[in-house]
Amino acid sequence: MRHIISVLLENETGALSRVSGLFSQRGFNIESLTVAQTNDPGLSRMTIVSTGNDRVLEQIVKQLNKLIEVVKVSDLTSQDHVERELMLVKVCPTSKDELDIKQLVDIFSCKIVDVTEKTYTIEISGKTKKINAFLNALDSAIIMEVSRTGVTGISRGKKAILK
Amino acid sequence: MKSNGAQILINSLQSEEVEYIFGFPGGAVLHIYDALDTQDEIIHVLVRHEQGAAHAADGYARASGKPGVVLVTSGPGITNAVTGIATAHMDSIPMVVISGQVPSPLIGMDAFQEVDATGITRSCVKHNFLVRDINEIASTVKKAFHIATTGRPGPVVIDIPKDITIEQITPKSYPKEIEMRSYKPTVKASNRQIKKAAELILNSQRPIIYSGGGCVIGNASNELREFTRMSGFPITQTLMGLGAYPGSDELSLGMLGMHGTYESNMAMYGADCVIAIGARFDDRITGNLDKFCPNAKFIHVDIDPSQISKNVVADIPIVGQVKQVLEVLNEELKDKKLQDISKWWSQINSWREVDSLAYRKKSGVIKPQTVIETLYEVTKGEAIVTSDVGQHQMWAAQYYMFDEPRRWINSGGLGTMGFGLPAAMGAKLAMPEKDVACVTGEGSIQMMTQELSTMLQYSTPVKIINLNNGYLGMVRQWQEFFYDKRYAMSYMDALPDFVKLAESYGHMGILVEKEADLKPAMLEAFKQKERTVFVDIKTDPTENVFPMIPAGGAHCDMLLAGRDEMVSKDETDLNAV
Ligand SMILES: Cc1cc2nc3c(=O)[nH]c(=O)nc-3n(C[C@H](O)[C@H](O)[C@H](O)COP(=O)(O)OP(=O)(O)OC[C@H]3O[C@@H](n4cnc5c(N)ncnc54)[C@H](O)[C@@H]3O)c2cc1C
Ligand SMILES: Cc1ncc(C[n+]2csc(CCOP(=O)(O)OP(=O)(O)O)c2C)c(N)n1
Ligand SMILES: [Mg+2]
């Protein structure tokens, strides 16, 4: 099962390596990991996508909680939540592909954020599935490079990670 | 008045009431040593190798219950200490390790004696810190002691760059309290869970108490005794738990697991209710998980939630301090009527009759088991016994009955050869009134003999009981059983003369080659109150540790002494009980 785990942790040097070290040390897998400071500059928030059965997930959550710098761990997958990922993709279409690309950008409601003589850079955000679908729809021959943020997420409604 | 970082550090350690620091100097910690030299509250013990420092601090901590403190320099100082830190980590021992670091501006420059100390130790500490600001020294020390000693204890490393020990500020007073929003070790257990546990206990027909190191670490020996005696349940203890409940008591079945007694393992296999208290279902206990306690429901008390349902799913998990949980549980069970378990006891007693620790003496050789029995007799079971790792460790655990906690000090989780001697030194410093014996093997002792020198300098008289079988015996045993007797590298052909070795360090040495000399030698050794005595005992090189559950076996599959066949008792009809 795929899980999205939110981790709130003290914004201290070494905290990130403690989390990533934990995953490799215990053989937990990481599909993606994103991290940045929150509105409280003392706190970072990390979103980890991992897979594993319930026993594995239970251990992941408990082991994360055991890290001294971790303030809160929450499995978003077990609650109503919103998840998003952002991708930048640079393509170099031949002139006959250009029309296709503009159509695709419309269909997937994403944006062309940079244009040069020979290249377009497209920004798309959404669920991982949508991003994968967009990538599949592009002709792989014209993709120059792809950069994805990995998933970030937040619970819906009145609940917040600290409340 | 201004103080430099080193003085602030030492003052902080004084505020933590540190008695001893085990350490070894070097460039990065010279200011700290300078500050140590101008005070006399803390005694610094100069070891001969930093691994010895960590083990000695560990032994001190295990014997006293107080955190052990270590001071090492950067680079090779801290890397040498890593084995000792990992040893303490695996057995949940409170320890604070201070390591010097190269000056802040040089960090990351491949500077002389630079290693990434926090990176290297990250996976074998409870937590670590790199101090970046002199203003944070005191609060970091406060946090380190708080983290090391609360919740599930463990080692904490504080890495301090040299420039920060030199810098000067006007110090603030040492913090009395520390508040960490991200670290709140659970203290009070859920009453609801304890009530549920009580209910299961009241209904169980074939219960067994399986207690572990948590009862020693958590100082819950009295509560454990009360619980066991009140319930009248059989109790088995892990290697780390020995002594929390008296080993010589009739409710005690001895140790369980790979080298546990027949009755302990059979009772685990047959139980309908396993009450795990401060034990972590280690693979040396469970053997084959699929066949582990096939008929049992599990109550699991542990301070660390991540231990619960890690290897074995708990039916009733209780997160909390063993002491507090048992207090509430004992109250809950008071005056309640338990099931009649006399049939269960008669089944257990029939397993006891197998007498799985019996061994046959051979004329002309000293049996290692006899050595431990003699040690027990001579010390009246009252010594603190440390041990190294190998067969001798198992024999010490099996044949020395520990009736009190903190008397048995050994490396269980990491199994570190070399642990015994420095740990004995630390234990002797913690408990100067007690006799301290270090049970070791000729293989293990050679990993730490240099500490004999430290022991002379600081007058820590310890009795070294060397079970000299001429083999890396535990390795030899596995090769005999599982590698068709191909004894690859388990024999050392050039052993030192241990008597002379001891003498050259200024200690006393006694060689024992005949059983008749054994007891007189031990009596003589323990008579020497002020001296370390190395008793080198030539023991049967072919002896093996029994019972044994081969790796991957079930509790009912045991190799017993003197039998060629494995006894498999899977067919025992437990429902008849
Ligand atoms: C050669 C060799 C052979 C071995 N053979 C055996 C064997 O046959 N049998 C055996 O038992 N072991 C054996 N061991 C040891 C084994 O490897 C483990 O170290 C040991 O079984 C673990 O003991 P434990 O479960 O009591 O846990 P410990 O490592 O002592 O851990 C203590 C547990 O208690 C918890 N705890 C700590 N403090 C508290 C508190 N205050 N309140 C509540 N919970 C707390 C901790 O979170 C932890 O889960 C052997 C080791 C070696 C080197
Ligand atoms: C540092 C270290 N290296 C290797 C081992 C593996 N090992 C476990 S027991 C053992 C043999 C110990 O020999 P000895 O000290 O003579 O004890 P004996 O088993 O003979 O009683 C070895 C090599 C270990 N536990 N620790
Ligand atoms: Mg040996």
Side-chain angles (χ1 to χ4, degrees):
Chain A
M1 247 273 282
R2 172 177 177 268
H3 290 273
I4 304 173
I5 303 158
S6 277
V7 185
L8 211 57
L9 71 171
E10 296 290 351
N11 188 3
E12 274 165 21
T13 36
L16 171 62
S17 63
R18 262 184 244 284
V19 174
S20 58
L22 173 74
F23 274 71
S24 59
Q25 179 193 346
R26 294 194 180 263
F28 302 144
N29 91 30
I30 300 187
E31 235 161 62
S32 71
L33 184 158
T34 75
V35 60
Q37 192 180 302
T38 63
N39 53 329
D40 174 346
L43 284 176
S44 295
R45 181 162 176 155
M46 199 179 269
T47 310
I48 302 165
V49 178
S50 181
T51 52
N53 61 27
D54 290 352
R55 287 278 293 280
V56 173
L57 184 83
E58 185 181 333
Q59 268 298 310
I60 292 178
V61 171
K62 284 174 168 177
Q63 294 291 348
L64 281 169
N65 269 316
K66 213 166 128 174
L67 294 177
I68 305 293
E69 284 145 344
V70 167
V71 178
K72 187 78 204 230
V73 180
S74 164
D75 178 13
L76 285 183
T77 341
S78 67
Q79 10 173 332
D80 224 2
H81 68 278
V82 180
E83 59 174 278
R84 287 289 177 273
E85 183 177 353
L86 184 135
M87 174 172 75
L88 296 173
V89 52
K90 189 153 70 183
V91 293
C92 54
T94 57
S95 50
K96 75 172 172 28
D97 299 321
E98 271 180 32
L99 206 66
D100 284 359
I101 294 221
K102 288 194 180 123
Q103 264 179 359
L104 274 181
V105 166
D106 271 351
I107 294 168
F108 281 87
S109 42
C110 42
K111 284 193 290 205
I112 297 174
V113 290
D114 187 38
V115 182
T116 66
E117 215 172 303
K118 294 225 172 67
T119 68
Y120 290 105
T121 299
I122 305 161
E123 174 196 308
I124 174 169
S125 75
K127 285 197 171 182
T128 303
K129 264 195 190 149
K130 174 181 164 185
I131 291 177
N132 290 342
F134 179 70
L135 212 50
N136 286 334
L138 286 175
D139 175 359
S140 59
I142 65 166
I143 299 176
M144 294 171 68
E145 62 176 319
V146 163
S147 177
R148 299 169 70 150
T149 58
V151 172
T152 186
I154 204 158
S155 66
R156 293 193 55 212
K158 280 200 173 144
K159 246 181 93 182
I161 189 161
L162 273 185
K163 268 155 218 149
Chain B
M1 212 181 72
K2 287 199 164 186
S3 301
N4 68 18
Q7 286 154 345
I8 294 171
L9 173 69
I10 298 303
N11 290 340
S12 305
L13 296 176
Q14 288 170 340
S15 305
E16 289 293 340
E17 292 172 10
V18 172
E19 277 182 295
Y20 290 103
I21 294 180
F22 301 88
F24 201 84
V29 286
L30 283 179
H31 271 74
I32 302 176
Y33 272 88
D34 200 40
L36 256 178
D37 209 42
T38 56
Q39 57 87 51
D40 50 17
E41 273 178 50
I42 303 175
I43 298 169
H44 179 277
V45 176
L46 177 67
V47 295
R48 302 302 187 255
H49 186 295
E50 290 88 346
Q51 184 184 337
H55 290 328
D58 184 329
Y60 171 87
R62 293 188 205 223
S64 68
K66 292 184 269 187
V69 181
V70 177
L71 172 58
V72 295
T73 192
S74 68
I78 180 69
T79 54
N80 269 351
V82 167
T83 302
I85 297 170
T87 303
H89 183 58
M90 286 297 273
D91 292 341
S92 312
I93 304 305
M95 183 186 284
V96 174
V97 179
I98 293 148
S99 57
Q101 181 55 279
V102 301
S104 310
L106 295 186
I107 292 180
M109 309 302 285
D110 304 318
F112 176 64
Q113 294 195 326
E114 177 184 3
V115 295
D116 174 12
T118 48
I120 284 176
T121 57
R122 195 183 55 227
S123 60
C124 62
V125 291
K126 183 168 175 186
H127 195 57
N128 59 24
F129 295 95
L130 171 59
V131 183
R132 296 184 168 275
D133 181 344
I134 183 172
N135 293 297
E136 282 168 9
I137 292 178
S139 62
T140 304
V141 172
K142 183 78 194 169
K143 280 184 197 167
F145 277 84
H146 176 56
I147 293 169
T149 55
T150 53
R152 180 181 183 174
V156 176
V157 169
I158 308 176
D159 199 33
I160 307 186
K162 185 170 185 176
D163 53 319
I164 288 174
T165 65
I166 302 173
E167 212 185 313
Q168 301 216 343
I169 53 165
T170 310
K172 296 198 207 64
S173 61
Y174 190 67
K176 284 210 175 58
E177 304 259 296
I178 199 92
E179 169 67 20
M180 297 173 71
R181 63 177 161 184
S182 63
Y183 177 68
K184 306 229 183 296
T186 326
V187 272
K188 204 171 160 297
S190 145
N191 279 337
R192 231 185 66 214
Q193 291 298 93
I194 299 177
K195 281 209 164 72
K196 274 201 219 164
E199 202 163 308
L200 185 61
I201 287 167
L202 290 170
N203 287 313
S204 62
Q205 317 266 350
R206 300 190 309 275
I208 184 161
I209 301 167
Y210 147 49
S211 75
C215 294
V216 177
I217 300 162
N219 300 315
S221 182
N222 289 339
E223 292 72 15
L224 180 67
R225 283 162 202 233
E226 191 185 336
F227 172 60
T228 309
R229 286 179 183 146
M230 184 163 63
S231 64
F233 288 176
I235 177 170
T236 178
Q237 303 182 78
T238 69
L239 181 72
M240 304 315 290
L242 297 177
Y245 191 82
S248 60
D249 187 87
E250 68 178 339
L251 298 178
S252 163
L253 307 186
M255 186 168 81
L256 78 164
M258 180 176 276
H259 294 298
T261 61
Y262 186 70
E263 53 270 35
S264 287
N265 288 336
M266 289 304 291
M268 285 295 278
Y269 192 74
D272 68 350
C273 171
V274 170
I275 307 153
I277 310 176
R280 58 185 173 83
F281 293 88
D282 183 80
D283 48 270
R284 293 246 152 164
I285 299 288
T286 61
N288 186 337
L289 274 174
D290 295 333
K291 297 189 195 151
F292 179 66
C293 306
N295 307 302
K297 285 218 179 329
F298 294 96
I299 297 167
H300 191 180
V301 185
D302 204 295
I303 189 78
D304 176 358
S306 75
Q307 293 311 304
I308 289 176
S309 298
K310 182 184 68 178
N311 296 335
V312 171
V313 178
D315 298 283
I316 304 178
I318 304 176
V319 176
Q321 290 282 352
V322 270
K323 197 180 176 77
Q324 186 251 328
V325 172
L326 286 176
E327 273 167 9
V328 180
L329 185 61
N330 288 342
E331 199 52 44
E332 193 65 39
L333 290 173
K334 210 176 247 166
D335 311 321
K336 297 256 169 67
K337 197 166 155 28
L338 293 144
Q339 302 292 313
D340 172 11
I341 60 164
S342 54
K343 272 193 185 162
W344 177 230
W345 267 113
S346 52
Q347 169 74 79
I348 289 171
N349 287 330
S350 74
W351 289 324
R352 268 181 169 160
E353 278 161 25
V354 170
D355 199 4
S356 60
L357 293 180
Y359 63 96
R360 221 170 274 144
K361 293 201 180 185
K362 254 195 299 190
S363 71
V365 286
I366 305 175
K367 284 287 177 181
Q369 298 93 326
T370 313
V371 178
I372 306 296
E373 286 173 339
T374 310
L375 176 66
Y376 181 71
E377 197 191 323
V378 167
T379 57
K380 303 188 178 67
E382 306 240 299
I384 292 178
V385 178
T386 73
S387 132
D388 265 305
V389 172
Q391 292 182 313
H392 60 272
Q393 176 187 22
M394 293 299 109
W395 287 316
Q398 291 173 330
Y399 293 90
Y400 199 103
M401 294 294 135
F402 295 96
D403 283 349
E404 295 294 331
R406 301 193 183 281
R407 283 202 186 151
W408 167 236
I409 295 178
N410 81 133
S411 164
L414 202 66
T416 309
M417 288 171 70
F419 174 80
L421 190 65
M425 170 170 69
K428 184 71 192 178
L429 286 169
M431 297 286 153
E433 305 303 318
K434 301 267 320 171
D435 279 332
V436 177
C438 165
V439 173
T440 184
E442 81 299 328
S444 295
I445 193 75
Q446 288 188 82
M447 289 205 172
M448 277 287 136
T449 42
Q450 78 286 346
E451 296 309 326
L452 287 169
S453 170
T454 315
M455 291 162 72
L456 183 72
Q457 185 171 355
Y458 295 90
S459 312
T460 55
V462 162
K463 311 305 169 222
I464 300 158
I465 309 299
N466 188 30
L467 304 196
N468 188 344
N469 54 7
Y471 277 97
L472 300 174
M474 189 54 99
V475 173
R476 194 203 56 75
Q477 174 167 350
W478 282 60
Q479 290 170 333
E480 179 183 335
F481 291 175
F482 312 118
Y483 294 86
D484 283 334
K485 306 191 177 177
R486 290 186 302 277
Y487 297 124
M489 298 298 142
S490 51
Y491 180 69
M492 284 183 188
D493 206 8
L495 290 177
D497 177 333
F498 287 109
V499 170
K500 282 192 188 149
L501 181 81
E503 285 169 359
S504 79
Y505 278 109
H507 304 303
M508 185 172 153
I510 308 177
L511 175 65
V512 179
E513 291 179 297
K514 291 200 292 287
E515 196 183 318
D517 298 337
L518 182 60
K519 194 170 167 189
M522 285 223 202
L523 285 169
E524 174 61 29
F526 281 94
K527 217 170 74 193
Q528 301 288 333
K529 290 284 170 214
E530 306 302 322
R531 294 191 77 182
T532 288
V533 183
F534 196 119
V535 190
D536 183 26
I537 306 158
K538 294 277 158 47
T539 57
D540 184 357
T542 63
E543 186 57 294
N544 290 319
V545 181
F546 291 109
M548 178 176 191
I549 302 176
H555 275 166
C556 59
D557 302 327
M558 265 169 282
L559 292 163
L560 294 183
R563 276 163 247 207
D564 295 333
E565 293 293 301
M566 176 129 79
V567 281
S568 191
K569 288 280 183 170
D570 207 3
E571 69 278 9
T572 314
D573 186 8
L574 291 160
N575 294 324
V577 173

